Amino acid sequence: MNKLKMPKNPYKGLKIYCNVCKKDSPKCSHYDMQIFRVRIHVPNTKYNVKVRVLKTRVYEDAVKEAIDFRKELVSNNYETIKPTIEGNDYSLPAAILKYNQYLEGNHPLAQKKKIVSKDYQDECVRYCTYFAESVKKTTDINRLRIVDINKYDVSAFYSWAKNHYQSKTFNKCMMALKAFFEYLIKDEEVIMKNPFDSYVALHVTKGENLTLTQNEFLSIYESVDIADPIKILGGKGEKKNMYKDYLKDGFKMMLLTGGRREEVLELRWSDIFITNEGVRFFRIHNRKVERIHKQNDVIKYIPINADLQIFLEEKGYSEKQKTNDYIFYNERTEKIKTLMDSLSKSFTHYKKACNIEKNVSMKNLRKTYITWVETSLGKNTGKITSHSEYQVLKDYYLDPTVISAIEKVALETRVFGPNSAL
């Protein structure tokens, strides 16, 4: 594209403006992003100006547009009738604030109210904030209009994110920014092209869906009693004792229930329900889904199979089944978050103590459980793992397909196979 040129004595207020450098009379080589723009001072004011972006790239025609704009201002007492930008317009910080309110569910139109989890909201806004910080390096973002965001702003952020994130997180970040601008265009009616509409996503190597073998789990489980519990922390060489007397119970419950950490730590004896046929299962709140959808009536079922029943008997099922005690570590004084972190970090510590090189952590116990459940249920596995939607029924009435799945897992599934014994 040809470089814009100005004569020695240009028309008053007429400037060449660079959309990349965000300044008048640039000395850069961003020729394809340079435009003519006129700034006309409003009489009897100190700083007030009226600005119009001109359509032409020919200087003589730009002068004509500038003269017409000045006449329009004079005839209307310097109140523009035709705005420079049609549709809504925001600064970048104001646009992010609007988006945050939208993700919170604050939208005047009922059909536009969005329900997302707080974690998802925070993540989206965090990526938008990082983008604003990137743009801020070259521009005053409080004066920058959202419609002036261009491909060079995207390029700078793309390079930063590529060096900052792994491929999977990088792609998530770029998708979040694309969604942010889609919201502005579709919901806020900002007239602009989505600057994140087209970009090259990074290749993500599909990770192995790793499970543990029975021998691997037992090695970790037994190492709690025999391995060195001391972990040397980085930095100043501090030491931490990773042993807790509840670790073995926690590891086994994670494996035999297939639950998430929070779910397992909240299990109570009173959560056990018994069908007329004598099939036992836990009936609990699905905290994750409830948080996402901001509901408090989403129920999840955890079948009590032979492995889990044996464990519960060892923990005093006969005496405690009608109490409201926690099954795991009832004498706790720590917060659940502390217990969750302790279990996860200790599992990794004892896994390393066993010299298991497989890249597994405590979350792989859930994957191991689901893998073995799938041998019984196949495509209906989601009815147990809550990965498929189903009608939440009131009281103790269960969807027949769900109770059928519960019975099948309770009666037929053994983690590590039919001949295993934990």
Side-chain angles (χ1 to χ4, degrees):
M1 187 171 290
N2 293 332
K3 179 181 178 181
L4 296 182
K5 296 181 179 180
M6 297 275 279
K8 290 184 178 180
N9 297 304
Y11 180 80
K12 185 177 180 180
L14 185 60
K15 302 287 185 180
I16 295 174
Y17 179 80
C18 177
N19 276 317
V20 179
C21 303
K22 304 293 190 300
K23 64 180 182 180
D24 293 326
S25 305
K27 296 182 180 180
C28 62
S29 58
H30 304 131
Y31 304 139
D32 58 335
M33 296 302 293
Q34 293 175 1
I35 56 174
F36 282 120
R37 191 171 75 162
V38 62
R39 297 163 57 89
I40 298 177
H41 178 256
V42 177
N44 303 317
T45 67
K46 190 172 183 179
Y47 298 112
N48 193 8
V49 295
K50 297 294 181 178
V51 181
R52 173 160 291 180
V53 172
L54 306 180
K55 298 177 181 179
T56 184
R57 293 184 62 82
V58 177
Y59 173 76
E60 290 76 12
D61 293 335
V63 172
K64 294 177 182 179
E65 284 189 48
I67 292 172
D68 289 341
F69 180 48
R70 183 183 292 276
K71 290 179 179 179
E72 178 186 314
L73 291 174
V74 171
S75 64
N76 293 289
N77 197 26
Y78 287 85
E79 292 296 330
T80 52
I81 295 175
K82 182 180 178 181
T84 304
I85 302 169
E86 298 176 353
N88 287 329
D89 184 24
Y90 302 100
S91 68
L92 181 53
I96 295 174
L97 179 61
K98 268 284 187 184
Y99 190 47
N100 186 42
Q101 293 171 342
Y102 166 70
L103 294 174
E104 287 177 338
N106 297 327
H107 199 288
L109 301 177
Q111 70 270 26
K112 295 289 188 178
K113 290 185 182 296
K114 191 174 182 67
I115 299 176
V116 300
S117 70
K118 185 65 168 60
D119 288 343
Y120 177 76
Q121 175 193 341
D122 291 344
E123 181 179 70
C124 292
V125 173
R126 182 168 63 252
Y127 290 139
C128 292
T129 303
Y130 288 159
F131 175 64
E133 290 174 354
S134 174
V135 177
K136 188 177 180 180
K137 293 176 181 177
T138 57
T139 309
D140 181 355
I141 60 173
N142 292 308
R143 299 182 64 182
L144 173 70
R145 314 319 297 168
I146 196 70
V147 294
D148 289 331
I149 297 295
N150 57 55
K151 60 186 179 181
Y152 295 99
D153 297 319
V154 175
S155 177
F157 182 70
Y158 184 97
S159 298
W160 174 85
K162 190 175 181 180
N163 292 326
H164 192 75
Y165 292 123
Q166 296 294 325
S167 297
K168 185 176 181 180
T169 307
F170 170 87
N171 291 341
K172 187 191 298 185
C173 174
M174 299 300 287
M175 288 175 63
L177 268 298
K178 182 177 181 179
F180 167 57
F181 280 95
E182 283 182 355
Y183 155 77
L184 294 174
I185 294 167
K186 294 180 180 179
D187 290 84
E188 292 299 322
E189 299 179 353
V190 174
I191 298 176
M192 65 181 299
K193 181 180 178 181
N194 192 330
F196 283 86
D197 189 54
S198 178
Y199 60 86
V200 178
L202 299 186
H203 175 70
V204 178
T205 303
K206 189 175 181 180
E208 295 179 274
N209 190 17
L210 295 172
T211 61
L212 283 86
T213 66
Q214 183 174 4
N215 286 338
E216 287 170 339
F217 174 76
L218 289 176
S219 294
I220 296 170
Y221 182 81
E222 293 167 358
S223 71
V224 174
D225 293 327
I226 58 178
D228 184 358
I230 303 301
K231 178 182 179 180
I232 306 298
L233 303 179
K236 299 180 181 179
E238 299 141 301
K239 298 179 180 181
K240 183 176 181 180
N241 189 340
M242 305 303 292
Y243 176 82
K244 300 289 187 298
D245 56 8
Y246 54 71
L247 293 179
K248 294 174 71 175
D249 283 350
F251 295 167
K252 187 170 280 192
M253 285 185 68
M254 290 292 300
L255 175 71
L256 299 182
T257 63
R260 299 182 177 91
R261 295 178 303 170
E262 181 180 17
E263 296 168 346
V264 172
L265 298 188
E266 288 188 341
L267 285 177
R268 298 177 184 269
W269 294 100
S270 55
D271 293 328
I272 296 175
F273 182 74
I274 306 176
T275 67
N276 293 332
E277 293 75 21
V279 176
R280 298 179 175 87
F281 58 90
F282 288 102
R283 186 178 186 275
I284 63 174
H285 286 274
N286 193 325
R287 301 296 186 193
K288 180 177 180 179
V289 175
E290 287 181 342
R291 279 195 294 268
I292 292 173
H293 296 288
K294 297 183 180 179
Q295 300 174 353
N296 56 11
D297 59 352
V298 184
I299 303 302
K300 177 176 181 176
Y301 308 98
I302 299 177
I304 299 176
N305 57 19
D307 296 319
L308 185 52
Q309 181 62 38
I310 292 171
F311 173 81
L312 295 175
E313 294 288 356
E314 293 173 350
K315 305 309 295 182
Y317 174 82
S318 300
E319 299 79 25
K320 298 181 179 180
Q321 59 177 309
K322 294 182 179 180
T323 71
N324 199 40
D325 290 351
Y326 290 112
I327 295 174
F328 170 80
Y329 189 34
N330 187 58
E331 300 78 17
R332 66 184 65 173
T333 55
E334 301 92 334
K335 295 180 180 179
I336 283 185
K337 180 66 167 62
T338 302
L339 294 173
M340 287 166 52
D341 290 344
S342 176
L343 283 172
S344 295
K345 292 176 181 178
S346 294
F347 184 90
T348 300
H349 173 79
Y350 287 106
K351 185 213 80 167
K352 292 179 179 178
C354 297
N355 295 317
I356 294 175
E357 296 183 359
K358 189 185 292 185
N359 185 26
V360 292
S361 61
M362 197 171 72
K363 67 182 179 182
N364 294 89
L365 296 180
R366 174 171 164 79
K367 294 182 180 180
T368 300
Y369 172 87
I370 292 174
T371 298
W372 285 100
V373 167
E374 193 172 17
T375 63
S376 299
L377 293 186
K379 64 181 182 180
N380 291 319
T381 301
K383 296 183 181 298
I384 298 300
T385 64
S386 300
H387 285 131
S388 62
E389 295 182 0
Y390 56 88
Q391 178 67 37
V392 177
L393 304 176
K394 294 183 178 181
D395 298 328
Y396 293 111
Y397 179 76
L398 299 180
D399 181 337
T401 62
V402 176
I403 188 61
S404 175
I406 291 171
E407 289 175 339
K408 192 170 182 65
V409 174
L411 298 175
E412 298 181 15
T413 301
R414 295 293 296 271
V415 179
F416 300 130
N419 298 319
S420 66
L422 293 175

